[in-house]
Amino acid sequence: MGSFFCALLSLSNSSCCCFNLPLLFKVNPGDVVSVVLPSGLQDVVAILAVTWARATAAPFNPDFKKEEFEFYMSDVRPKAVIVPRGNLTHPARIAAQGLNIAVWEVTFNNEDLTFSLFITQEGLKKMIEEEDSSSIT
């Protein structure tokens, strides 16, 4: 029972901490953030983190083809898409870029449950442009 509690505590801390940064980038309650990560602990942490930020998590199968990502992303219109760091040719990234959706990259260390979020330069630019356009109205 003790190790299970520690694992839950670590998972909780990882989820809470990793989404302080997106809150700074105007993720509002009810916004949709798509999660495109392999099934496993990193996927669970990302989904919990999105929901703890009071946003809506939209997990997508990372094995979808580009056309499938385009279809679902154009339907749910996420504010950002979370993908594994470094895969510049992943169909989810390409679909998000084509739909002008911010791309956030993550790395996850299974040993110490370290979850790192990276806002790409293009993702940051899209978030700033969205903020600027919403302040005009």
Side-chain angles (χ1 to χ4, degrees):
M1 184 69 172
S3 62
F4 180 70
F5 175 75
C6 290
L8 284 179
L9 180 62
S10 295
L11 177 62
S12 174
N13 289 341
S14 293
S15 296
C16 288
C17 294
C18 78
F19 263 67
N20 288 337
L21 216 166
L23 287 173
L24 297 174
F25 288 98
K26 308 296 185 200
V27 174
N28 299 309
D31 283 346
V32 176
V33 177
S34 294
V35 178
V36 184
L37 298 171
S39 295
L41 194 52
Q42 65 181 345
D43 190 38
V44 171
V45 170
I47 291 169
L48 286 174
V50 169
T51 58
W52 284 341
R54 300 187 321 165
T56 302
F60 292 145
N61 181 342
D63 295 328
F64 280 165
K65 294 179 177 23
K66 178 179 157 277
E67 295 76 22
E68 292 171 300
F69 282 117
E70 289 172 337
F71 173 79
Y72 289 113
M73 286 181 195
S74 60
D75 184 39
V76 300
R77 296 304 302 164
K79 187 160 196 168
V81 176
I82 299 174
V83 298
R85 182 159 190 170
N87 188 346
L88 301 177
T89 60
H90 193 282
R93 176 190 290 275
I94 295 168
Q97 290 169 334
L99 294 168
N100 203 31
I101 298 169
V103 176
W104 297 347
E105 299 178 322
V106 295
T107 60
F108 188 75
N109 182 330
N110 282 318
E111 290 181 22
D112 62 4
L113 300 180
T114 305
F115 194 97
S116 302
L117 177 71
F118 302 88
I119 309 294
T120 62
Q121 186 174 15
E122 71 206 31
L124 181 58
K125 183 179 176 201
K126 286 180 176 91
M127 300 297 279
I128 292 169
E129 287 171 355
E130 183 178 301
E131 182 66 21
D132 288 345
S133 67
S134 67
S135 64
I136 293 172
T137 55

